[in-house]
Amino acid sequence: MSAEATNPEARSEARPELRRRGRTRLDLRRLGRAALLGPTSRDRLPDAIGHVAEAHRAHHPDADLSILRRAYVLAESSHRGQMRKSGEPYITHPLAVTLILAELGAETTTLTASLLHDTVEDTEVTLDQVREEFGDEVCFIVDGVTKVEKIDYGAAAEPETFRKMLVATGNDVRVMSIKLADRLHNMRTLGVMRPEKQARIAKVTRDVLIPLAERLGVQALKTELEDLVFAILHPEEYEHTRALIAAHAGERDPLPAIAESVRVVLREAGIHAEVLVRPRHFVSVHRISRKRGELRGSDFGRLLILVGENADCYGVLGELHTCFTPVVSEFKDFIAVPKFNLYQSLHTAFATSDGHVAEVIVRTRQMHRVAEAGVVALGNPYATAAATAAATAAAAASGATAGSAEACADPYEERVDPTRPGWLSRLLDWQQSAPDPDTFWSVLRAELAQDREITVFRADGGAPATISLPGGASCIDAAYAQYGEAAHGCIGARVNGRLTSLTSRLSDGDTVQLLLAHDASSGPSADWLEHAHTPAARIAIGSWLKAHPDGAAATTTAAARAPLSVVGARGGGGNAVADLPDATVRLAGCCTPVPPDAVAGFVVRGGAVTVHRVQCAAVAQMRSLGRTSVAVHWRATADCRVTLLAESFGRPHLLADLTEAIAREGVEVVSATVEPPVEQRVRHSYTLQLPDATGLPALMRAMRDVPGVYDVSRA
């Protein structure tokens, strides 16, 4: 199956290019009649699953199809007599779902479970029977797809079914692959339902299933689901888009000629590549029409260039940008930086001499397979080569089936899934904290609405070294992702080495160091909820605030207090001397220069000379106003005055401890200011008289060693 344009209602009316290539439309009534004839002889497959066998062998030529025959026999016999609302025998549904997965390249275990996915839910077949006949792995997948009983859960049945399915997907992504194919076939045949039920199912598909298909990288399913939902929920826009495509079908399409020009360029460059014209599907045409207004012929499709190796992708890119006029803003490299859903490609666009803009996708054939089928293209992601070989050998020795050979010892144990991305791990974590089905359902939709993911790195070197977060996440989200409920005591963060507040938004690739308070009673403030994007953070913060209703009030009261100031004797210019007779010299409080800083002096009102460090912003401002600087030098004496900023966690006796540490270094405190605490952080400002400027580094180290102080810097 490909992700080409489809018409959910009348495919025969669309252009031939817009229809799926190489796909035979099934006559479900004919398959239903074949199903009712019952199983055939044991030495060959039933006619009804011939399409499935053919599609499966196209991807897996050596697959053992005997387990599919056995699964079909059980499914057909258990569903016999059941009919769909469309009037077809029910067995046509698992057959169609299995065919969808077979065309995507799913391996035998997935297809076996797909044939059986409704047996436990809708027939007398039990999970124990499935396990005994087909092994633990098939049983686990079938159980993961099976809905919970509505009698037991009532209105919460749908949310709890998805919760159960997500947990199972955490152990085996093939569970969700079958659910997506199941929903696609149901959406294709949704026309027999009442309009209000069509709308309800379409909304759940839009809010949950389509985002899941996107995250699992199954673009072939996602694009058709989008078109089917579009037709139901937005019929007027859908009809308008269909009219645009139909009108374009009668015009000359410039893309084939552009594709031929590209073929010539690549052939002359010695690059072996396949250049295809890839029509947009309905939703894509609708989006681009809203973005660009009136559409041109080249807007109805894109060029897809398939090559053999990764290096060839960049070779193609170089030729395109050399021989055509590139549209720089359209270039994206998803090979060097893949999307979070396994997607890899180069995206670019170029303008032709006649004004057409052709969008281009460049990828290898393996990338194309993964882009279309996502996790389905990975086969069985849990079986290593050695394990598979051992299982195959054991099966051959014992006469077991392929399905039992693939079964794991205990698939219900938590497994390390190489296909489990950050978003899925987050879902599995926070769903345990969701207090009720309604909260889970609403938060799940909000989480899946995030269409971008970022990765940040831990500065402490702990494991795991990276944290995956949704786009727009803040340091608050990173704190709860890393520490769980211990993040209640988080009071700040360093991002890329710079101190920042917890509300700061993170970018892809940032390095984050989270700072925790030593006070066990510390907790989040109410405004954290405005900056928390992940469900885990929002649920944890909300629970803490509910348990500590007076927690936020204390922070607000503290923030309203005025700064505490301690002022001692103030000196003048220290050991700075200006080359201006009888001038009074003052060291600027904004930058507090000390020997051997490079300095500049400026005459201010009253004839005094104020001395700044040359890097101070005031120096640039003075010069921009045309003020002439006065030469300043340091006396041979070593004493100096400096202002230091100390940032720390709030705790009792902190000011006394800092003052004691300063006194031990033999330094005089000229003045001190303590700002009110903000998010459990306190900032101290000290103006100090040092007997020797060379002692400044040792003084700063002594202040940093005071418990609770995490940074000391020059003003």
Side-chain angles (χ1 to χ4, degrees):
M1 181 184 298
S2 71
E4 306 299 333
T6 60
N7 185 330
E9 296 180 359
R11 289 184 173 84
S12 61
E13 298 178 12
R15 294 179 50 197
E17 293 88 348
L18 296 178
R19 300 176 62 183
R20 286 183 172 75
R21 296 180 179 178
R23 169 149 185 215
T24 304
R25 292 292 298 162
L26 295 182
D27 183 345
L28 294 179
R29 294 188 182 278
R30 182 180 62 80
L31 287 182
R33 287 194 298 271
L36 292 175
L37 295 177
T40 59
S41 61
R42 296 183 62 86
D43 59 347
R44 72 184 186 90
L45 290 168
D47 293 336
I49 57 171
H51 291 278
V52 173
E54 181 182 352
H56 188 38
R57 279 284 172 83
H59 293 277
H60 305 276
D62 300 326
D64 180 2
L65 301 181
S66 60
I67 190 173
L68 292 181
R69 183 192 66 79
R70 292 168 43 228
Y72 169 76
V73 169
L74 177 59
E76 185 279 327
S77 60
S78 59
H79 286 298
R80 187 175 298 172
Q82 295 179 350
M83 308 295 286
R84 304 196 79 214
K85 290 186 181 296
S86 58
E88 293 135 359
Y90 195 88
I91 189 61
T92 59
H93 172 65
L95 278 171
V97 172
T98 306
L99 180 61
I100 291 170
L101 293 168
E103 289 180 330
L104 289 173
E107 39 73 61
T108 309
T109 301
T110 304
L111 301 186
T112 303
S114 175
L115 284 168
L116 300 169
H117 78 272
D118 275 341
T119 53
V120 175
E121 181 181 325
D122 295 333
T123 74
E124 299 299 319
V125 175
T126 65
L127 284 172
D128 289 337
Q129 288 177 278
V130 174
R131 181 183 295 108
E132 181 179 354
E133 183 72 18
F134 300 97
D136 289 335
E137 198 157 11
V138 171
C139 176
F140 179 80
I141 298 173
V142 171
D143 184 29
V145 183
T146 301
K147 296 177 183 176
V148 300
E149 290 289 344
K150 195 160 188 175
I151 296 176
D152 298 331
Y153 287 88
E158 186 171 38
E160 290 302 327
T161 293
F162 273 96
R163 189 199 294 262
K164 174 187 176 215
M165 205 172 301
L166 282 171
V167 173
T169 300
N171 269 352
D172 199 320
V173 293
R174 293 173 292 184
V175 171
M176 192 56 66
S177 300
I178 294 175
K179 178 59 183 178
L180 291 172
D182 172 74
R183 179 53 60 96
L184 176 57
H185 183 246
N186 284 333
M187 288 294 296
R188 286 175 177 173
T189 57
L190 204 59
V192 298
M193 299 286 187
R194 299 188 309 275
E196 58 272 19
K197 190 167 185 179
Q198 290 185 36
R200 185 186 66 79
I201 294 174
K203 287 177 181 176
V204 174
T205 304
R206 177 197 63 194
D207 295 342
V208 179
L209 274 303
I210 289 176
L212 285 171
E214 168 73 14
R215 281 156 174 71
L216 293 174
V218 195
Q219 295 296 319
L221 302 187
K222 178 212 169 194
T223 51
E224 187 174 351
L225 284 171
E226 282 184 327
D227 285 349
L228 292 163
V229 168
F230 185 41
I232 294 173
L233 298 183
H234 306 282
E236 294 181 1
E237 290 91 337
Y238 173 78
E239 289 299 330
H240 174 70
T241 304
R242 186 169 69 168
L244 286 176
I245 295 176
H248 172 64
E251 301 174 355
R252 187 184 70 85
D253 189 350
L255 286 178
I258 297 173
E260 184 57 35
S261 301
V262 172
R263 292 188 190 99
V264 171
V265 167
L266 299 181
R267 193 181 307 120
E268 292 176 350
I271 300 176
H272 298 286
E274 183 179 1
V275 182
L276 305 172
V277 176
R278 186 177 176 84
R280 295 181 184 274
H281 64 105
F282 276 70
V283 171
S284 180
V285 172
H286 173 68
R287 287 172 181 158
I288 201 168
S289 67
R290 296 188 63 179
K291 177 182 177 182
R292 299 180 182 174
E294 185 177 354
L295 299 181
R296 305 190 62 178
S298 57
D299 293 330
F300 287 86
R302 292 182 285 191
L303 299 185
L304 173 64
I305 302 178
L306 301 178
V307 294
E309 304 292 338
N310 286 19
D312 294 335
C313 294
Y314 294 97
V316 169
L317 182 69
E319 293 299 323
L320 293 179
H321 285 192
T322 301
C323 300
F324 301 95
T325 303
V327 181
V328 179
S329 61
E330 296 293 329
F331 173 67
K332 297 181 182 66
D333 188 345
F334 295 119
I335 295 179
V337 185
K339 288 186 177 182
F340 63 90
N341 60 358
L342 309 177
Y343 180 88
Q344 287 185 286
S345 292
L346 294 178
H347 288 205
T348 189
F350 61 81
T352 63
S353 56
D354 55 356
H356 288 290
V357 175
E359 294 186 25
V360 185
I361 301 172
V362 186
R363 59 175 70 136
T364 66
R365 290 175 177 81
Q366 174 60 20
M367 290 176 192
H368 181 61
R369 181 167 175 253
V370 174
E372 292 293 287
V375 295
V376 179
L378 300 179
N380 182 354
Y382 312 101
T384 63
T388 302
T392 303
S398 63
T401 65
S404 60
E406 290 176 356
C408 62
D410 187 2
Y412 291 89
E413 281 187 17
E414 181 75 10
R415 292 181 291 188
V416 178
D417 181 359
T419 68
R420 180 192 286 185
W423 65 265
L424 182 53
S425 295
R426 290 197 305 273
L427 287 180
L428 295 173
D429 290 340
W430 69 255
Q431 64 85 23
Q432 300 177 16
S433 305
D436 56 75
D438 289 339
T439 300
F440 166 78
W441 197 229
S442 60
V443 176
L444 174 65
R445 295 185 182 206
E447 168 76 1
L448 292 176
Q450 304 284 345
D451 59 355
R452 192 170 62 88
E453 184 160 302
I454 62 173
T455 300
V456 297
F457 297 88
R458 292 177 57 174
D460 58 7
T466 61
I467 304 172
S468 296
L469 298 167
S474 66
C475 295
I476 294 172
D477 299 303
Y480 282 95
Q482 180 173 335
Y483 293 114
E485 291 190 358
H488 293 331
C490 200
I491 60 173
R494 289 183 184 275
V495 178
N496 302 325
R498 297 175 64 89
L499 195 67
T500 186
S501 69
L502 283 174
T503 59
S504 299
R505 292 180 62 171
L506 296 169
S507 300
D508 196 35
D510 281 346
T511 299
V512 181
Q513 178 186 359
L514 298 161
L515 308 172
L516 297 181
H518 299 286
D519 184 3
S521 63
S522 299
S525 61
D527 62 349
W528 282 22
L529 287 173
E530 300 177 11
H531 304 279
H533 289 260
T534 58
R538 294 185 64 82
I539 290 174
I541 294 168
S543 299
W544 191 93
L545 292 174
K546 187 177 294 185
H548 303 79
D550 299 328
T555 303
T556 305
T557 303
R561 292 198 301 265
L564 168 66
S565 297
V566 180
V567 182
R570 295 184 179 272
N575 51 3
V577 178
D579 293 345
L580 194 64
D582 302 324
T584 302
V585 178
R586 297 173 182 169
L587 298 180
C590 56
C591 57
T592 56
V594 299
D597 291 342
V599 292
F602 294 90
V603 179
V604 296
R605 186 173 301 174
V609 175
T610 302
V611 181
H612 298 264
R613 282 192 283 171
V614 294
Q615 299 92 345
C616 181
V619 172
Q621 184 178 7
M622 291 283 194
R623 287 174 176 167
S624 67
L625 296 174
R627 305 285 289 276
T628 303
S629 62
V630 176
V632 179
H633 64 273
W634 298 105
R635 289 195 186 100
T637 56
D639 66 305
C640 66
R641 181 171 296 185
V642 65
T643 298
L644 298 180
L645 300 178
E647 298 190 72
S648 62
F649 305 127
R651 67 172 180 84
H653 311 299
L654 179 62
L655 179 61
D657 292 345
L658 268 170
T659 305
E660 182 181 352
I662 294 169
R664 282 199 302 265
E665 297 297 317
V667 176
E668 175 191 355
V669 178
V670 177
S671 66
T673 301
V674 182
E675 298 179 8
V678 177
E679 294 183 347
Q680 300 294 324
R681 292 182 300 157
V682 182
R683 179 171 167 145
H684 303 250
S685 176
Y686 293 93
T687 299
L688 307 170
Q689 188 72 31
L690 277 71
D692 189 341
T694 59
L696 181 59
L699 170 64
M700 295 175 70
R701 283 195 299 271
M703 294 174 67
R704 289 192 186 102
D705 289 341
V706 173
V709 177
Y710 56 82
D711 195 19
V712 176
S713 60
R714 294 273 300 274

